[in-house]
Amino acid sequence: GSEAASEPGQEEEVEDRLKEHMDTLLDKSAKARQAALQSLRLALSSKSLSEFLLERRLTLTDSLEKCLKKGKGEEQALAGTVLTLLCLQMGSGPEGEEVFRSLKPLLVSVLTDSTASPSARQS
């Protein structure tokens, strides 16, 4: 009984942490952004969050776009991975298509940029 009662509170706590990580993606510190990207990667790869993400996909997409454009190496690689997970979470519907289509040109430019790190190009 107590497990069922604590679940909504746990879910709210998880969502609050995700919101914090999303806010941290706009931090000036590259280390802080990378830590936030790692936390988002872990969350998106371990739990279905499509409803939470549906409401915040544009904000998250904008933040990931900035990480891909301005970041270097590890940050770009993490942003690419988080973006992939975001598209998977959104599914094959119009929302997932929109996220992918909006960032496809940027992803292609990172992929074809010979000066980008191999890990960023791979991700």
Side-chain angles (χ1 to χ4, degrees):
S2 64
E3 282 181 31
S6 68
E7 267 185 40
Q10 285 177 337
E11 194 163 316
E12 200 173 288
E13 188 179 312
V14 168
E15 288 182 1
D16 287 344
R17 277 187 283 164
L18 287 172
K19 288 176 195 172
E20 286 175 28
H21 297 316
M22 289 169 65
D23 290 342
T24 306
L25 291 179
L26 301 174
D27 202 284
K28 288 185 179 181
S29 164
K31 278 193 187 273
R33 291 192 307 270
Q34 285 181 16
L37 286 166
Q38 287 173 331
S39 297
L40 286 168
R41 181 188 67 192
L42 185 64
L44 294 178
S45 62
S46 62
K47 187 172 181 165
S48 176
L49 301 160
S50 53
E51 281 186 40
F52 172 83
L53 294 169
L54 192 60
E55 300 168 15
R56 295 163 183 83
R57 72 183 184 282
L58 297 176
T59 305
L60 185 54
T61 302
D62 287 346
S63 299
L64 291 171
E65 181 177 2
K66 288 178 180 134
C67 290
L68 281 169
K69 281 183 178 176
K70 297 179 180 170
K72 300 284 182 241
E74 182 68 16
E75 183 177 352
Q76 284 182 315
L78 286 165
T81 301
V82 172
L83 180 60
T84 301
L85 292 168
L86 175 62
C87 287
L88 289 171
Q89 289 264 356
M90 294 284 84
S92 61
E95 294 87 3
E97 281 285 322
E98 178 189 340
V99 169
F100 178 72
R101 201 172 297 127
S102 68
L103 288 178
K104 183 181 175 187
L106 180 57
L107 291 170
V108 170
S109 75
V110 171
L111 180 65
T112 58
D113 181 0
S114 60
T115 62
S117 76
S119 62
R121 293 172 70 185
Q122 178 183 6
S123 290

